[in-house]
Amino acid sequence: MRRIASGDIHAIKVGIHHRIPLKEFDRVRDERAAKLTRAASAEIEADLYGA
């Protein structure tokens, strides 16, 4: 709800509920997956190379 209110996620209000379009859901999911992948990659590199 905070991300919808801040404008990070586009949603359509239907009655008292918010509906997130599938393309928007996919975009947010892909951004989150990319962020987690980068974090995991950095952690693995630190373990391997002692950085």
Side-chain angles (χ1 to χ4, degrees):
M1 292 300 297
R2 287 186 296 245
R3 291 187 71 190
I4 291 171
S6 70
D8 290 341
I9 298 175
H10 171 72
I12 300 164
K13 191 153 186 181
V14 179
I16 61 170
H17 302 282
H18 290 88
R19 302 287 185 226
I20 300 171
L22 184 57
K23 285 186 177 185
E24 182 69 2
F25 175 82
D26 289 340
R27 180 188 68 80
V28 172
R29 182 196 60 210
D30 294 345
E31 284 178 0
R32 184 172 177 95
K35 184 177 180 181
L36 291 172
T37 301
R38 284 191 302 273
S41 295
E43 187 174 320
I44 291 169
E45 283 185 25
D47 287 343
L48 289 174
Y49 304 114

